[in-house]
Amino acid sequence: MNLKLRVWRQRSAAEKGKMVTYQVADVSPDMSFLEMLDVLNEQLILDGEDPVSFDHDCREGICGSCGVMINGRAHGNGLFDSHPQTATCQLHMRSFKDGDTIDVEPWRATAFPLIKDLAVDRSALDRIIQAGGYISAPTGTAPEAHSILVAKKDSDAAFDAATCIGCGACVAACPNASSMLFTSSKVVHLGLMPQGQPERDDRVVNMIHQQDLEGFGGCTNIGECSASCPKGISMENISRLNHDLLGALRAGARPKS
Amino acid sequence: MTVTHSGQRRTPKAAKTSSVFKKVVMAVSGIILVLYLVAHMVGNLKLFAGAETFNGYSEWIRRIGEPAVPGQTVLWIIRLVLLVAVAAHIWAAISLWRQAKRARPQQYVARKQVAQSYASRTMRWGGVILGLFIVYHILDLTLGVANPAGHDATPYDRAIAGFSNPFVTLVYVVALLALGFHLRHGVWSATQTLGQSNKTRERTVNAFATVFAVVLTAGFLIPPLSVLVGIIE
């Protein structure tokens, strides 16, 4: 396959960026999108040019490191009916046609400052986790696993929420650049488990507080997030978060600043 | 290796009110306004019952609670509640709109939306249209200053005089369609915001939002269009 790529090039946050056009020849349909970018980078290095920076790690769709806007969609999700929702690394070039023009851009959000080219700093999501996405448990001998029972319905919903890999696609796809789907999946996956109950009220209040401090937008329940999520996290988590927050505020929980 | 410079990190400003709380304000004030709209729509249909009934209904609204309370007391309480609800709705909307603008100062070069509906995309500007319409609507039919029949005419005559003009009716039709879209997304969004939605209810909530928006818009559209085509004279 021969492809025309239009890639966002920006040397640093301080400098202006622009879309730069590259031709990539002899792309195998079996390559992943990142492998195709590797081919482009090898070509750029041989030409003595600066290779395109992008984040990646496991390349198995489970770590959440990679993620770019492909033709205006986060991870390209929603562009291909035949293709399941995945992370960028699991999108294969067979989804494209020979001669296609592909636009590649970084996640754009105030809370995700650009580092270089397609790489952005997503540590804002880590700080939201730090604000409450944990449980406090005594260390020492592990208790008998069956001593705390969890309803099947709750454990399933908690697990579905816990599949969030924190890639940031929800933020990138949201017209408001809101991280509600991310935050809600973290709030819900702990909030549905018995172990998550002691800190349930503080968790939601503090995580939402941190989300606002990081400069994310507010949720308007549009649903672009869920349609872009490589794990298909449901919008119901956002409703559950809202429910938790209202309960917590009524119970007097306030964010610690 | 590229290091994130400390200058790239934002110094967090104290967030006085959480974005979710603002959404709750939006949802609750929206529900108050929607409940009023239902009563308003039903009242409008009394135009079909003739001038006497319609004017009598209008007069009754001003006398609710009499003689326990002086005339127009209940009317003014309703107006005050609506005014507070509209103000809260607008405050929350502007505040969240600004937050969203700050959250993405640089737009994408290529952008493709797949999930968002027309209704959700037009929430903000649709809301602006509705705000302007409400001002015109009060000047037209409540105060009568923008109405061809004038302030001294009966409510029935004002409605007939206004809606006989195709341009006036067109303004109402456009605004009511905007209202329909606003309600379509608003009903669903308020359910989410108040934490009352989940995977099993999602379809029902969305279906209800559509039906509700269609019924309310149709109910509002029927009287003005009936006047225009001469069913009501």
Side-chain angles (χ1 to χ4, degrees):
Chain A
M1 298 167 78
N2 295 309
L3 298 166
K4 188 165 121 186
L5 285 186
R6 300 203 305 148
V7 184
W8 184 261
R9 301 305 309 265
Q10 187 171 352
R11 288 174 58 82
S12 74
E15 289 168 64
K16 275 185 87 107
K18 63 173 194 297
M19 297 295 265
V20 178
T21 307
Y22 299 104
Q23 295 288 342
V24 191
D26 300 327
V27 173
S28 156
D30 296 329
M31 281 180 181
S32 75
F33 199 85
L34 297 185
E35 283 169 326
M36 185 274 296
L37 288 179
D38 291 337
V39 170
L40 168 68
N41 276 346
E42 280 175 18
Q43 187 182 306
L44 288 175
I45 291 165
L46 288 175
D47 293 346
E49 285 182 54
D50 193 19
V52 178
S53 291
F54 60 91
D55 277 325
H56 62 101
D57 191 21
C58 75
R59 299 205 176 196
E60 291 176 350
I62 52 173
C63 77
S65 297
C66 66
V68 289
M69 294 298 274
I70 299 166
N71 284 342
R73 293 294 307 165
H75 299 299
N77 285 332
L79 291 176
F80 318 101
D81 291 337
S82 56
H83 198 273
Q85 286 178 217
T86 57
T88 303
C89 59
Q90 288 298 301
L91 175 65
H92 292 86
M93 298 316 291
R94 54 180 163 268
S95 294
F96 297 90
K97 290 193 297 292
D98 187 39
D100 273 1
T101 302
I102 308 173
D103 289 319
V104 191
E105 282 181 85
W107 292 167
R108 293 200 193 281
T110 305
F112 292 165
L114 188 129
I115 299 170
K116 193 185 175 198
D117 298 333
L118 304 174
V120 296
D121 178 3
R122 284 167 293 179
S123 49
L125 298 183
D126 299 338
R127 290 190 291 273
I128 292 177
I129 300 260
Q130 280 168 2
Y134 52 81
I135 60 159
S136 299
T139 54
T141 318
E144 159 62 33
H146 293 299
S147 61
I148 303 172
L149 299 177
V150 185
K152 171 75 172 149
K153 192 163 66 83
D154 291 342
S155 74
D156 281 353
F159 190 84
D160 282 349
T163 55
C164 167
I165 52 176
C167 64
C170 46
V171 178
C174 176
N176 303 310
S178 174
S179 61
M180 271 297 259
L181 195 68
F182 166 81
T183 308
S184 69
S185 68
K186 302 303 170 191
V187 165
V188 167
H189 108 246
L190 295 175
L192 283 173
M193 305 303 275
Q195 293 87 343
Q197 298 314 309
E199 287 138 331
R200 186 167 173 177
D201 285 358
D202 292 335
R203 175 180 307 117
V204 62
V205 166
N206 286 321
M207 287 179 82
I208 283 295
H209 183 60
Q210 188 64 35
Q211 171 178 292
D212 286 335
L213 290 181
E214 295 291 348
F216 290 104
C219 174
T220 50
N221 301 308
I222 285 172
E224 286 289 336
C225 51
S226 197
S228 306
C229 176
K231 299 296 163 184
I233 305 264
S234 161
M235 296 268 292
E236 81 167 343
N237 293 304
I238 295 178
S239 185
R240 283 184 198 267
L241 177 150
N242 292 333
H243 194 272
D244 269 20
L245 188 89
L246 285 172
L249 289 177
R250 244 198 324 271
R254 293 292 176 267
K256 55 168 186 268
S257 41
Chain B
M1 197 183 94
T2 315
V3 181
T4 310
H5 302 289
S6 55
Q8 281 177 276
R9 298 195 188 284
R10 298 142 315 287
T11 333
K13 272 184 259 163
K16 289 190 190 70
T17 332
S18 90
S19 53
V20 176
F21 180 77
K22 285 174 194 161
K23 285 294 293 183
V24 172
V25 170
M26 186 96 96
V28 172
S29 57
I31 288 171
I32 293 171
L33 295 171
V34 164
L35 290 176
Y36 171 77
L37 283 180
V38 172
H40 191 343
M41 189 269 275
V42 172
N44 289 0
L45 292 174
K46 292 189 199 300
L47 264 179
F48 287 100
E52 206 170 312
T53 314
F54 188 74
N55 290 335
Y57 167 69
S58 168
E59 191 52 37
W60 170 76
I61 293 174
R62 280 153 182 78
R63 285 192 280 103
I64 306 174
E66 274 184 58
V69 289
Q72 298 207 1
T73 306
V74 172
L75 178 72
W76 275 102
I77 290 172
I78 294 172
R79 284 176 175 172
L80 217 65
V81 169
L82 289 178
L83 202 65
V84 170
V86 167
H89 207 69
I90 292 175
W91 165 76
I94 290 177
S95 164
L96 287 164
W97 196 343
R98 291 181 58 196
Q99 183 176 347
K101 277 241 174 287
R102 280 197 302 271
R104 181 172 294 131
Q106 185 169 12
Q107 298 301 313
Y108 291 103
V109 177
R111 187 79 185 93
K112 195 167 182 290
Q113 317 282 7
V114 291
Q116 64 170 251
S117 59
Y118 181 78
S120 67
R121 191 165 59 238
T122 53
M123 256 345 234
R124 287 171 181 151
W125 284 109
V128 172
I129 291 174
L130 287 174
L132 294 173
F133 167 72
I134 291 169
V135 173
Y136 166 69
H137 176 54
I138 290 173
L139 291 176
D140 179 24
L141 291 177
T142 309
L143 301 175
V145 290
N147 188 279
H151 179 258
D152 298 328
T154 65
Y156 186 85
D157 290 341
R158 280 206 292 268
I160 301 294
F163 296 136
S164 303
N165 182 337
F167 294 105
V168 172
T169 307
L170 183 69
V171 171
Y172 274 80
V173 169
V174 169
L176 288 170
L177 290 178
L179 174 71
F181 284 115
H182 205 77
L183 288 176
R184 166 62 192 86
H185 186 70
V187 169
W188 147 250
S189 190
T191 314
Q192 274 274 111
T193 300
L194 296 176
Q196 300 303 316
S197 175
N198 59 41
K199 233 182 251 178
T200 37
R201 279 190 210 161
E202 213 171 279
R203 281 175 70 105
T204 320
V205 172
N206 270 306
F208 173 76
T210 308
V211 171
F212 182 80
V214 168
V215 168
L216 206 79
T217 309
F220 270 122
L221 279 174
I222 289 168
L225 291 177
S226 302
V227 173
L228 186 70
V229 300
I231 297 172
I232 303 175
E233 280 171 345

